[in-house]
Amino acid sequence: AAAPTALAPRGQALQMIQMEFCAPFAQPPVVAVAVSDGASNRLMRIRLPMLAIRFLQPWTLAADEYFRYWRAAGLSEKQTSFKFSASYDAASVRRLLSEGLKLAVLDNVDPIASNSVAAGFLALKSGAAPPSDASGFCLLRLEVNLNAPNGTAARLTVRSKSMVVADGLVKVLAATWANTAAPFPS
């Protein structure tokens, strides 16, 4: 429905926005809202709290497929090391990856049992899905050192066709697990 052209004093209006993901974006989308009080007009620009990783879908791979894509040429890689702010809980890590980010957590892929690997693809408007060259995907590996002094240390590596996606995923997960500042650009 179209946005209302007038509101009663202290009135409110709800406007639904549907987004289609055409390509990865580094900055959150901006909505421009025009407001008039009868005497003057103002244009407000509002950043939507959304990152490209919002459009991830699970991508189930066997171990040989995962490593074939992991080693593929042309992927962007982002990596960070951090310490978990709370005690390491493998079940909550798995839940965040699968339910929160909608990645497929892949069992029996990494030879080290305490590590986690996951895969996902971007739900593009074009409908392209892996292994299509037009698709976007990301692969994740979380290496956990349970014997680190002063807490559980970890290294997170993400490889993707898009540096924007790799960077966004690393920032969100490291900020969540290390309990640091929010990853949204200013």
Side-chain angles (χ1 to χ4, degrees), residues 73-143:
L75 295 181
S76 298
E77 180 175 299
K78 184 70 175 184
Q79 188 176 90
T80 191
S81 296
F82 62 93
K83 288 190 183 226
F84 282 89
S85 61
S87 61
Y88 173 71
D89 178 7
S92 66
V93 165
R94 182 182 188 90
R95 195 170 34 258
L96 175 62
L97 293 174
S98 63
E99 295 172 18
L101 292 173
K102 297 190 175 31
L103 293 170
V105 178
L106 308 175
D107 295 320
N108 304 316
V109 171
D110 198 295
I112 301 171
S114 62
N115 292 348
S116 298
V117 295
F121 69 92
L122 295 166
L124 297 169
K125 180 180 178 182
S126 68
S132 163
D133 286 340
S135 72
F137 64 85
C138 68
L139 304 168
L140 175 145
R141 183 175 189 219
L142 177 66
E143 300 168 87

Side-chain angles (χ1 to χ4, degrees), residues 11-100:
Q12 297 181 14
L14 175 65
Q15 185 66 38
M16 301 296 286
I17 299 172
Q18 181 175 333
M19 296 185 65
E20 292 181 326
F21 187 63
C22 298
F25 49 87
Q27 296 294 318
V30 175
V31 172
V33 179
V35 179
S36 173
D37 63 7
S40 63
N41 297 325
R42 287 189 294 157
L43 182 65
M44 299 185 307
R45 296 185 187 279
I46 303 168
R47 285 188 191 270
L48 299 178
M50 183 177 297
L51 299 171
I53 60 174
R54 158 64 181 87
F55 297 92
L56 287 171
Q57 293 295 312
W59 185 28
T60 304
L61 296 169
D64 60 331
E65 291 176 303
Y66 177 86
F67 288 112
R68 180 167 44 93
Y69 285 109
W70 184 267
R71 294 182 193 106
L75 295 181
S76 298
E77 180 175 299
K78 184 70 175 184
Q79 188 176 90
T80 191
S81 296
F82 62 93
K83 288 190 183 226
F84 282 89
S85 61
S87 61
Y88 173 71
D89 178 7
S92 66
V93 165
R94 182 182 188 90
R95 195 170 34 258
L96 175 62
L97 293 174
S98 63
E99 295 172 18

Side-chain angles (χ1 to χ4, degrees), residues 74-78 158-164 166:
L75 295 181
S76 298
E77 180 175 299
K78 184 70 175 184
V158 175
R159 294 185 56 108
S160 175
K161 284 184 134 183
S162 165
M163 181 53 95
V164 169

